[in-house]
Amino acid sequence: QVQLVESGGGLVQAGGSLRLSCAASGRTFSRYYIVMGWFRQAPGKEREFVAAINWSGGTTYNADSVKGRFTISRDNAKNTVYLQMNSLKPEDTAVYYCAADQGVVIRTSYSMYEYWGQGTQVTVSS
């Protein structure tokens, strides 16, 4: 079992930055192959993939909509995953969720992830 808790959301003006954190407990990152991902869901829209990182941190994958602006990273010693979000746009407004997938291959479908956090709200004003 893996428990995930997100933090770092808030209200920011367009062009600003936020860093989201996801603290994991239960199975530790260093002992199991776990891919960590970030997803987001805006009102009235489906949950969409944002970024993911493999267990070693050596491989990352970002959605086209956030490439060049968002960076995912992980600190296995702290069991924490981060999402650094720069140059934020109003269309980035959503609830952001951290998710964990037991495996070695990065997958972008939310149905592949077994564990989820409660989400953190990010609001970008224009």
Side-chain angles (χ1 to χ4, degrees), residues 27-33 55 74 76-77 79:
R27 289 186 166 182
T28 60
F29 289 5
S30 61
R31 296 182 60 188
Y32 297 92
Y33 295 111
W55 72 276
R74 67 191 292 167
N76 287 347
N79 285 351

Side-chain angles (χ1 to χ4, degrees), residues 1 11 26 28 31 46 58 63-64 71 74 85 87-88 90 92 101 106 110-111 118 120:
Q1 289 288 332
L11 173 64
T28 60
R31 296 182 60 188
E46 290 192 355
D64 288 343
T71 302
R74 67 191 292 167
M85 306 186 294
S87 302
L88 283 161
D92 293 319
D101 174 22
I106 289 179
Y110 68 83
S111 63
Q118 81 288 350
T120 185

Side-chain angles (χ1 to χ4, degrees), residues 33-54:
Y33 295 111
I34 297 179
V35 170
M36 298 299 299
W38 285 97
F39 290 77
R40 66 187 182 186
Q41 188 166 17
K45 294 187 177 181
E46 290 192 355
R47 191 167 299 190
E48 67 171 350
F49 172 80
V50 175
I53 188 167
N54 73 337

Side-chain angles (χ1 to χ4, degrees), residues 61-108:
Y61 185 74
N62 288 0
D64 288 343
S65 58
V66 304
K67 280 182 180 177
R69 300 188 299 122
F70 291 10
T71 302
I72 187 171
S73 61
R74 67 191 292 167
D75 184 339
N76 287 347
K78 296 181 178 179
N79 285 351
T80 301
V81 177
Y82 304 98
L83 184 67
Q84 178 66 44
M85 306 186 294
N86 299 328
S87 302
L88 283 161
K89 305 175 181 179
E91 51 264 44
D92 293 319
T93 296
V95 176
Y96 282 71
Y97 297 91
C98 176
D101 174 22
Q102 297 184 76
V104 298
V105 178
I106 289 179
R107 298 185 286 189
T108 61

